[in-house]
Amino acid sequence: MNEREADEFGAAGDRLGAATDGFGAVELARVVELVRRQGARTVVVGHGRDAGPAAEAFTRTWEGTVLAVVSWPERAASWLRQARRFTAGEPDAWVVAGAPLGWAGMSERLRRSTEWDPARTYGFAATARAVALAPPGTLEGMRGADHDGNTWQIGRNVIFREIS
């Protein structure tokens, strides 16, 4: 993260170094910025089992309310229990981290069984690749950040990257 970006985050920027524990500070800062720009105050954070550090870093950095942190396995019979917990609090936004396979399965269950809205969902870099594994349109509207801080948005089975 450059000096200008750190200034934009104020107190949250001061916590980024401590919050990342080896996770990409630039990526984390950009995800926080995207969620903040939406005007979200409450979030639910979800993650695959191996992405716990990213989810933890976000929850330590987020200045609003984290209603729940929900983890899911990469493979599951249905993900229904996790999907219900993920959407139970009616947050302003959802933040996700995890491998593409697990997020593709979880997002498919969310679309079929809940009122989840991908347009209110923000992800870390790896989650964007789930677009190749999820049914068409499942992730349409989801946004997030790459490791280098560039942002992306998912269209109908395509990732639109914005170079900053």
Side-chain angles (χ1 to χ4, degrees):
M1 176 178 350
N2 65 37
E3 189 175 317
R4 187 180 130 267
E5 288 173 322
D7 287 345
E8 289 176 12
F9 292 101
D14 294 340
R15 292 193 306 269
L16 287 175
T20 59
D21 294 333
F23 187 76
V26 173
E27 180 181 3
L28 174 60
R30 190 65 69 210
V31 172
V32 169
E33 176 188 6
L34 288 170
V35 178
R36 187 181 295 149
R37 268 195 219 157
Q38 178 194 320
R41 293 182 186 164
T42 61
V43 299
V44 169
V45 179
H47 65 90
R49 293 292 195 299
D50 293 338
E56 212 173 284
F58 182 89
T59 61
R60 285 194 310 255
T61 305
W62 182 245
E63 293 178 339
T65 301
V66 177
L67 298 174
V69 177
V70 179
S71 68
W72 55 78
E74 290 306 303
R75 297 183 188 276
S78 78
W79 286 284
L80 183 58
R81 183 171 38 100
Q82 293 91 344
R84 287 181 176 156
R85 282 191 58 225
F86 191 68
T87 56
E90 297 184 26
D92 297 327
W94 290 280
V95 177
V96 296
L101 180 64
W103 176 232
M106 177 68 169
S107 64
E108 181 179 0
R109 171 52 73 183
L110 287 164
R111 286 294 271 210
R112 284 188 293 149
S113 304
T114 71
E115 295 297 315
W116 171 71
D117 181 3
R120 292 178 19 221
T121 306
Y122 299 85
F124 288 82
T127 60
R129 295 192 315 266
V131 71
L133 304 169
T138 300
L139 298 169
E140 191 170 354
M142 184 177 163
R143 290 165 280 183
D146 286 333
H147 299 295
D148 57 9
N150 290 321
T151 59
W152 48 263
Q153 182 170 350
I154 296 178
R156 188 162 182 85
N157 297 350
V158 66
I159 301 168
F160 297 100
R161 298 196 185 279
E162 300 171 6
I163 308 300
S164 50

